[in-house]
Amino acid sequence: MMTTSIAQEKVFRGGLIGCGFFSRNHLHAWHEIDGVQIVALCDANRERLDATGREFGIDLLYTDAAAMLRDEQLDFVDIATTVASHRPLVELAAGAGVAVICQKPFAPTLADAQAMVAACRDAGVLLMVHENFRWQTAIQAVGRALREGAIGTPFWGRVSFRSAFDVFSGQPYLAHGERFIVEDLGIHILDIARFLFGNVAHLSATISRVNPSIAGEDVATILLGHESGATSVVDCSYASRLPNELFPQTLIEVDGANGTLRLGADYRLTIHTRDGTLNETVAPESLKWASAPWEAIQGSVLNIQRHWIARLRDGIEPATSGRDNLHTLALVEATYLSALEKRTVALDIDALAGRTSAQAMSTADAVNE
Ligand code: NAD
Ligand code: 89V
């Protein structure tokens, strides 16, 4: 792992791999951050690659990531492809001695994720998972308030994402996977629960599919027992038609020894103690390139990428590192296992990695029961 800090004047040279639906948020955010330039793009799809190059004024274009890493002097790669390609691309970058950011879901299995973390550790390169939800302005504000002791020690929480937004038109692949909401969206909500209440000792979950035209589950309810002793509920749904569609807002409730905290609709943060009630709006920063309803997510992309450049400069492991993300991926695996076997599951990363690499569980079975 790098340990020396790098001069403030250095401009980091990045190469982005995967010019699809979400990558434009990465590219807009990189443009906004001092001390970094995306100098090269890679996509296996030539048409998409050329169009993205034209739009963002980048002319070093590759259809092969190995060729980009061979021909360009890069400080990092930003992997914005879908999950199947993550392990080979991370290992390719590590082999070239180049630091890596990789989109979520980091890996299809925990065993793959462990191998990717080991590859970057052995190569001495920093690795960050683009686990951006906890980087939303509102979620950071909640984390700060809890850390500062605004309501005393939390003993109970709920992190909730309920929507009927059509995610499939922008991301058609989400309709076809055997796994859907826990792997794609629940992963963020579980990560927020970890961010707020710490690592998890055990969990119990149910999942189901309401929308008959998709393959995976679109509803999940997960009860988490945290190592701190706190209990939290993570609930996610893409089958909830509400009078006010809040996509992509995450709502949060926390009860602590001295008071309560609520993050309600439209980023309204309320903190109540014996001393009174504080109300604040913790909305995302307004960005020229933001587009409704994605503003909070786009703001979080800017925040996480700023964090990456600061950590790259200081040579320090990022908060949402590959190593950190193993705990979040373990929550995803434990959720599917708990739903399938209808039991409480202990959060033992190595045991869960062993099961998933052996393809020991079938998500479809859990959904269809
Ligand atoms: P997409 O399918 O629209 O784009 C992926 C692109 O990667 C495609 O253009 C494809 O040709 C290219 N690609 C795939 N493998 C490649 C390889 N080996 N070499 C070069 N190019 C390759 O996908 P998307 O919707 O942009 O999602 C990308 C990732 O971002 C996914 O992992 C998804 O979960 C994640 N995502 C995250 C958020 C978030 O808020 N964090 C939101 C949406 C998507
Ligand atoms: O964040 C994501 O990964 C997206 C979305 C918010 C639409 O679920 O897939």
Coordinates of all heavy atoms in Angstrom, one line a residue, residues 21-22 103-104 132-133 161 165 167 171 173-174 180 184-185 187-188 238 247-248 294 297, ligand 2:
F21 N -24.4 3.9 -19.3 CA -25.4 4.7 -18.6 C -24.9 5.6 -17.5 O -25.1 6.8 -17.5 CB -26.5 3.8 -18.1 CG -27.5 4.4 -17.2 CD1 -28.5 5.2 -17.7 CD2 -27.4 4.3 -15.8 CE1 -29.5 5.9 -16.9 CE2 -28.4 4.9 -15.0 CZ -29.4 5.7 -15.5
F22 N -24.1 5.0 -16.6 CA -23.8 5.8 -15.4 C -22.5 6.5 -15.5 O -22.2 7.5 -14.7 CB -23.7 4.8 -14.1 CG -23.8 5.6 -12.8 CD1 -25.0 6.2 -12.5 CD2 -22.7 5.7 -12.0 CE1 -25.1 6.9 -11.3 CE2 -22.9 6.4 -10.8 CZ -24.1 7.0 -10.4
Q103 N -16.7 0.3 -9.7 CA -18.1 0.5 -9.3 C -18.7 -0.7 -8.5 O -18.1 -1.8 -8.5 CB -19.0 0.6 -10.6 CG -19.4 1.9 -11.0 CD -20.4 2.6 -10.0 OE1 -20.9 1.9 -9.1 NE2 -20.6 3.9 -10.1
K104 N -19.8 -0.4 -7.8 CA -20.5 -1.5 -7.1 C -21.4 -2.2 -8.1 O -21.7 -1.6 -9.2 CB -21.3 -1.0 -5.9 CG -22.2 0.2 -6.2 CD -23.3 0.1 -7.3 CE -24.4 -0.9 -6.9 NZ -25.4 -0.9 -8.0
N132 N -21.3 4.8 -3.5 CA -21.5 6.2 -3.3 C -22.6 6.6 -2.5 O -22.7 7.8 -2.0 CB -21.7 6.8 -4.7 CG -22.8 6.1 -5.5 OD1 -23.0 4.9 -5.4 ND2 -23.6 6.9 -6.2
F133 N -23.6 5.7 -2.1 CA -24.8 6.2 -1.4 C -24.4 6.9 -0.1 O -25.0 7.9 0.3 CB -25.8 5.1 -1.2 CG -26.9 5.1 -2.3 CD1 -26.6 5.2 -3.6 CD2 -28.2 4.9 -2.0 CE1 -27.6 5.2 -4.6 CE2 -29.2 4.9 -2.9 CZ -28.9 5.1 -4.3
F161 N -35.7 2.5 1.7 CA -35.7 2.9 0.3 C -36.9 2.3 -0.3 O -37.0 1.1 -0.6 CB -34.5 2.5 -0.4 CG -34.3 3.0 -1.8 CD1 -33.5 4.1 -2.1 CD2 -35.0 2.5 -2.9 CE1 -33.3 4.6 -3.4 CE2 -34.9 2.9 -4.2 CZ -34.1 4.0 -4.4
F165 N -40.1 3.7 -9.0 CA -39.4 4.3 -10.1 C -38.9 3.2 -11.2 O -38.5 2.1 -10.8 CB -38.2 5.1 -9.6 CG -37.4 5.8 -10.6 CD1 -37.9 7.1 -11.1 CD2 -36.2 5.3 -11.2 CE1 -37.2 7.8 -12.1 CE2 -35.5 6.1 -12.1 CZ -36.0 7.3 -12.6
V167 N -36.4 1.8 -13.0 CA -35.0 1.8 -13.2 C -34.6 1.0 -14.4 O -33.5 1.1 -14.9 CB -34.2 1.2 -12.0 CG1 -34.2 2.1 -10.8 CG2 -34.9 -0.1 -11.5
Q171 N -31.4 1.1 -17.1 CA -30.5 -0.1 -16.8 C -31.2 -1.4 -17.1 O -31.6 -2.1 -16.2 CB -30.0 0.0 -15.3 CG -29.2 1.3 -15.0 CD -29.1 1.5 -13.5 OE1 -29.9 2.2 -12.9 NE2 -28.2 0.8 -12.9
Y173 N -30.4 -4.3 -17.9 CA -29.8 -5.5 -17.3 C -30.4 -5.8 -15.9 O -30.4 -7.0 -15.5 CB -28.3 -5.4 -17.3 CG -27.7 -4.2 -16.5 CD1 -27.5 -4.3 -15.1 CD2 -27.5 -3.0 -17.1 CE1 -27.0 -3.2 -14.4 CE2 -27.0 -1.9 -16.5 CZ -26.8 -2.0 -15.1 OH -26.4 -0.9 -14.4
L174 N -30.9 -4.8 -15.3 CA -31.5 -5.1 -13.9 C -32.7 -6.0 -13.9 O -33.0 -6.6 -12.9 CB -31.8 -3.7 -13.2 CG -30.6 -2.8 -12.9 CD1 -31.1 -1.5 -12.3 CD2 -29.6 -3.5 -12.0
F180 N -31.8 -9.1 -7.9 CA -32.0 -7.7 -8.3 C -31.8 -6.8 -7.1 O -30.7 -6.3 -6.9 CB -33.4 -7.6 -9.0 CG -33.8 -6.1 -9.2 CD1 -32.9 -5.2 -9.6 CD2 -35.1 -5.7 -8.9 CE1 -33.3 -3.8 -9.7 CE2 -35.5 -4.4 -9.1 CZ -34.6 -3.5 -9.5
D184 N -28.3 -4.9 -6.2 CA -28.1 -3.6 -6.9 C -28.3 -2.4 -6.0 O -27.5 -1.5 -6.0 CB -29.0 -3.6 -8.1 CG -28.8 -2.3 -8.9 OD1 -27.7 -2.1 -9.5 OD2 -29.6 -1.4 -8.8
L185 N -29.4 -2.4 -5.2 CA -29.8 -1.2 -4.5 C -29.6 -1.5 -3.0 O -29.1 -0.6 -2.3 CB -31.2 -0.9 -4.9 CG -31.9 0.3 -4.3 CD1 -32.5 0.1 -2.9 CD2 -31.1 1.5 -4.3
I187 N -27.6 -3.2 -1.6 CA -26.1 -3.1 -1.2 C -25.8 -1.7 -0.7 O -25.0 -1.5 0.3 CB -25.3 -3.5 -2.5 CG1 -23.9 -3.8 -2.1 CG2 -25.3 -2.4 -3.5 CD1 -23.1 -4.5 -3.3
H188 N -26.4 -0.7 -1.3 CA -26.2 0.7 -0.9 C -26.8 0.9 0.5 O -26.2 1.6 1.4 CB -26.9 1.7 -1.8 CG -26.3 1.8 -3.2 ND1 -25.0 2.1 -3.4 CD2 -26.9 1.8 -4.4 CE1 -24.8 2.2 -4.7 NE2 -25.9 2.0 -5.3
Y238 N -38.9 -1.8 -4.9 CA -39.2 -1.1 -6.1 C -40.6 -1.5 -6.6 O -41.0 -1.4 -7.7 CB -38.2 -1.6 -7.2 CG -37.0 -0.7 -7.3 CD1 -35.7 -1.3 -7.2 CD2 -37.0 0.6 -7.5 CE1 -34.5 -0.6 -7.3 CE2 -35.9 1.4 -7.5 CZ -34.6 0.8 -7.4 OH -33.5 1.6 -7.5
F247 N -37.8 8.6 -5.3 CA -36.6 8.1 -5.9 C -35.6 9.2 -6.1 O -36.0 10.2 -6.7 CB -36.9 7.4 -7.2 CG -35.6 6.8 -7.9 CD1 -35.1 5.6 -7.6 CD2 -34.9 7.6 -8.8 CE1 -34.0 5.1 -8.2 CE2 -33.7 7.2 -9.4 CZ -33.3 5.9 -9.1
P248 N -34.3 9.1 -5.7 CA -33.7 7.9 -5.1 C -33.4 8.2 -3.6 O -32.3 7.9 -3.1 CB -32.4 7.8 -5.9 CG -32.0 9.3 -6.1 CD -33.3 10.1 -6.2
W294 N -32.0 12.6 -10.2 CA -30.8 11.9 -9.8 C -29.8 12.8 -9.0 O -28.7 12.4 -8.7 CB -30.0 11.5 -11.1 CG -30.7 10.4 -11.8 CD1 -31.7 10.6 -12.8 CD2 -30.6 9.0 -11.7 NE1 -32.1 9.4 -13.3 CE2 -31.5 8.4 -12.6 CE3 -29.8 8.2 -10.8 CZ2 -31.6 7.0 -12.7 CZ3 -30.0 6.8 -11.0 CH2 -30.9 6.2 -11.9
I297 N -27.8 11.4 -6.0 CA -26.8 10.4 -6.4 C -25.6 11.1 -7.2 O -24.4 10.8 -6.9 CB -27.5 9.3 -7.3 CG1 -28.4 8.5 -6.5 CG2 -26.4 8.5 -8.1 CD1 -29.0 7.3 -7.2
Ligands
89V2 O1 -27.3 2.9 -7.6 C1 -27.5 2.0 -8.4 O2 -26.8 1.1 -8.5 C2 -28.7 2.1 -9.4 C3 -30.0 2.5 -8.9 C4 -30.0 3.6 -7.9 C5 -30.9 2.9 -10.0 O3 -30.5 1.4 -8.3 O4 -28.7 0.9 -10.1

